[in-house]
């Protein structure tokens, strides 16, 4: 018996590479639930081609040489989209996924009006799951949360349902890291990403894994490094300004800063930290630093980013002047600063550079503490006032 969803056209994609032992079982199981099935043979050298010839009703896409799981999935997405499908369920051909979990994806899809990307949540704590797989999944979950703000219990499962019309237009990876890139960038596009519970089978006698620990882990680490940099330098600021643009500043201040669940202490510390980073001589890295610290300490990212913008261009001359004055008081010199290049020497540059660095740190500490304390007092007053209004 096959299942269908009247609101969407759904197919199943099965990328495969030298999984002849389990391919029959997976294809037969999937066909019990969905009739539109695509198998992407990624250059297999075993009996895969012969096995697939026995399924005349399955769409088979052959790649003459092995190009990686990402390339296989991408080709499947493109073909399914061209054939008019809205969603594609992907299931690995190594036998670890149970086709009878397909109804779980279909049932979850029915409760969503908006596009959604669903990822099977495997029980990684069950007996038989290799410890390295469990660690790798936790590692991936952390970075996905860091890059998107979405907490998932399983980000590495290949058992997924993709919204074909809402995926990134261009993807840059083609191996195992493809499945990380696509969920992060889809989440960046505003698509809901969530887990659904699925079963998992690890049978070392049947399962053939093509994951190369050192090489593929290195590729995944490089990808996460790039994604984190993009997150801090572009995605976080973009989301901040999008929120600000959709609301009046008063509404944004009230809903996204004053009435968040963060305590007054966390809010004050977040703003103070942002101001400190914005004043110290870390030009070009203020956003990266303050957001990294805010994420690591789970402080208020919006307030930290707001504070770091104390170094906007009109304020830079004021900050530099005050830093030099404070530094000159701490490290006095008989060589006054001059812009006459005929009188400038290396020793004078070094002295005033030391003055600036020392002065900027002292200015940053003083300003951060002052503004942080003032903001804390305002927040406590606002909180007490809100309580009185409720009473």
């Amino acid at each position: 018996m096959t299942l269908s969803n009247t609101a969407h056209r759904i197919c199943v994609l099965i990328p495969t590479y030298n999984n002849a032992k389990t391919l029959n079982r997976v294809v037969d199981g999937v066909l019990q639930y969905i009739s539109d099935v695509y198998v992407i043979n990624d250059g297999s050298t075993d009996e895969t081609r012969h096995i697939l010839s026995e399924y005349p009703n399955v769409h088979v896409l052959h790649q003459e040489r092995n190009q990686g799981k990402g390339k296989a999935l991408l080709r499947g997405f493109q073909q399914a989209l061209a054939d008019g499908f809205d969603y594609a369920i992907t299931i690995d051909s190594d036998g670890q996924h149970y086709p009878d979990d397909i109804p779980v994806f279909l049932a979850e899809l029915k409760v969503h009006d908006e596009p959604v990307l669903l990822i099977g949540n495997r029980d990684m704590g069950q007996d038989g799951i290799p410890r390295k797989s469990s660690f790798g999944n936790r590692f991936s979950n952390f970075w996905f949360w860091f890059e998107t703000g979405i907490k998932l219990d399983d980000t590495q499962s290949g058992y997924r349902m993709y919204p074909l019309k809402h995926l990134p237009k261009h993807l840059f990876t083609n191996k195992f890291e493809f499945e990380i890139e696509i969920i992060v960038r889809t989440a960046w596009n505003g698509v809901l990403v969530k887990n659904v519970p699925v079963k998992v089978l690890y049978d070392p006698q049947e399962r053939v894994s093509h994951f190369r620990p050192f090489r593929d882990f290195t590729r995944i680490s490089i990808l996460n490094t790039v994604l984190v940099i993009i997150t801090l330098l572009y995605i976080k600021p973009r989301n901040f300004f999008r929120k600000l643009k959709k609301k009046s500043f008063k509404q944004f201040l009230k809903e996204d800063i004053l009435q968040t669940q963060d305590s007054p202490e966390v809010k004050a510390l977040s703003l103070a930290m942002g101001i400190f980073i914005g004043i110290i001589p870390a030009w070009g890295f203020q956003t990266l630093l303050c957001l990294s610290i805010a994420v690591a300490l789970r402080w208020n990212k919006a307030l930290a980013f707001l504070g770091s913008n104390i170094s906007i261009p009109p304020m830079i001359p004021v900050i530099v002047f005050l830093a030099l004055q404070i530094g000159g008081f701490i490290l006095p010199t008989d060589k006054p600063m001059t812009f006459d290049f005929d009188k400038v020497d290396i020793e004078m540059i070094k002295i005033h550079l030391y003055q600036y660095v020392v002065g900027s740190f002292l200015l940053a500490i003083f300003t951060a503490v002052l503004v942080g304390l003032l903001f804390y007092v305002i927040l406590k007053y606002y909180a007490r006032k809100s309580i009185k209004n409720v009473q």
Side-chain angles (χ1 to χ4, degrees):
M1 179 183 69
T2 59
L3 299 177
S4 62
N5 186 310
T6 56
H8 304 285
R9 290 196 64 201
I10 302 168
C11 66
V12 172
L13 305 182
I14 307 175
T16 186
Y17 174 61
N18 289 348
N19 285 123
K21 287 183 179 180
T22 53
L23 184 58
N24 274 116
R25 188 174 79 232
V26 174
V27 175
D28 290 340
V30 168
L31 287 171
Q32 294 182 47
Y33 297 94
I34 290 185
S35 58
D36 295 299
V37 178
Y38 293 80
V39 178
I40 306 94
N41 176 19
D42 188 25
S44 298
T45 57
D46 57 5
E47 297 299 313
T48 294
R49 187 179 287 266
H50 173 71
I51 292 171
L52 294 176
S53 67
E54 300 173 355
Y55 294 91
N57 295 325
V58 169
H59 306 280
V60 179
L61 306 174
H62 289 291
Q63 300 192 153
E64 294 305 318
R65 62 182 182 84
N66 178 249
Q67 300 181 53
K69 187 179 182 181
K71 282 286 187 181
L73 286 173
L74 186 58
R75 185 175 179 189
F77 291 153
Q78 292 168 343
Q79 188 61 56
L81 193 57
D83 291 343
F85 289 97
D86 301 303
Y87 281 84
I89 296 174
T90 61
I91 181 171
D92 293 342
S93 62
D94 60 5
Q96 71 162 296
H97 303 144
Y98 287 82
D100 61 10
D101 279 324
I102 287 176
V104 175
F105 288 91
L106 300 180
E108 181 65 32
L109 178 61
K110 287 182 179 180
V111 304
H112 294 281
D113 295 325
E114 74 278 17
V116 61
L117 193 162
L118 303 175
I119 302 175
N121 180 16
R122 305 160 295 173
D123 180 6
M124 300 301 290
Q126 72 181 47
D127 293 339
I129 304 293
R131 291 183 62 185
K132 62 181 180 180
S133 297
S134 181
F135 168 78
N137 191 49
R138 293 196 301 272
F139 179 85
S140 179
N141 295 346
F142 170 79
W143 287 115
F144 180 77
W145 165 75
F146 190 100
E147 293 151 5
T148 67
I150 300 171
K151 288 188 176 182
L152 296 181
D153 294 319
D154 193 345
T155 53
Q156 287 195 317
S157 173
Y159 208 173
R160 304 178 177 189
M161 175 180 276
Y162 289 98
L164 294 172
K165 297 177 182 178
H166 300 275
L167 299 179
K169 300 300 182 185
H170 302 287
L171 292 146
F172 302 100
T173 54
N174 54 26
K175 303 293 184 182
F176 285 98
E177 70 274 16
F178 174 91
E179 291 182 295
I180 296 174
E181 180 191 357
I182 196 169
I183 62 171
V184 170
R185 294 184 57 202
T186 300
W188 285 352
N189 287 341
V191 174
L192 175 66
V193 181
K194 65 179 299 185
N195 283 138
V196 292
V198 298
K199 301 181 291 295
V200 62
L201 171 66
Y202 271 84
D203 186 345
Q205 300 302 318
E206 286 190 338
R207 186 168 182 264
V208 178
S209 175
H210 303 291
F211 186 83
R212 300 158 299 181
F214 178 76
R215 185 179 301 181
D216 289 319
F217 187 78
T218 299
R219 294 170 70 98
I220 289 170
S221 297
I222 292 172
L223 172 65
N224 276 317
T225 300
V226 173
L227 293 176
V228 165
I229 292 172
I230 295 173
T231 296
L232 296 176
L233 297 184
Y234 175 68
I235 298 299
K236 294 295 185 183
R238 180 202 69 178
N239 293 345
F240 176 83
F241 284 113
R242 280 182 177 177
K243 280 187 177 181
L244 189 59
K245 188 176 181 180
K246 289 179 181 178
K247 306 174 182 179
S248 67
F249 181 77
K250 183 178 180 180
Q251 184 183 12
F252 176 80
L253 182 66
K254 182 178 180 180
E255 295 179 2
D256 293 85
I257 295 180
L258 296 179
Q259 290 186 351
T260 62
Q261 297 303 310
D262 297 324
S263 66
E265 291 82 3
V266 167
K267 291 176 182 177
L269 285 169
S270 301
L271 182 64
M273 182 269 291
I275 289 173
F276 177 83
I277 298 296
I279 292 177
I280 64 172
W283 310 116
F285 296 95
Q286 283 100 336
T287 299
L288 178 64
L289 281 172
C290 77
L291 289 179
S292 296
I293 295 171
V295 168
L297 298 178
R298 297 187 179 183
W299 287 358
N300 190 300
K301 295 183 287 294
L303 280 168
F305 178 74
L306 189 66
S308 70
N309 279 274
I310 192 172
S311 59
I312 56 177
M315 288 295 296
I316 290 176
V318 177
I319 292 172
V320 172
F321 173 78
L322 291 175
L324 285 170
Q325 293 299 310
I326 295 171
F329 179 77
I330 301 297
L331 300 172
T333 178
D334 56 0
K335 290 189 174 184
M337 179 175 287
T338 178
F339 294 98
D340 185 348
F341 291 101
D342 293 332
K343 298 180 180 179
V344 171
D345 57 44
I346 297 298
E347 188 62 28
M348 186 188 76
I349 293 175
K350 287 172 60 178
I351 290 173
H352 291 294
L353 180 60
Y354 291 149
Q355 288 179 337
Y356 167 68
V357 170
V358 171
S360 65
F361 272 90
L362 292 174
L363 176 64
I365 293 170
F366 174 78
T367 308
V369 171
L370 179 64
V371 174
L373 287 173
L374 181 61
F375 188 55
Y376 176 75
V377 171
I378 293 172
L379 289 173
K380 294 295 284 186
Y381 170 78
Y382 180 86
R384 285 196 295 268
K385 187 177 179 181
S386 298
I387 293 172
K388 288 182 180 179
N389 290 337
V390 171
Q391 294 173 343

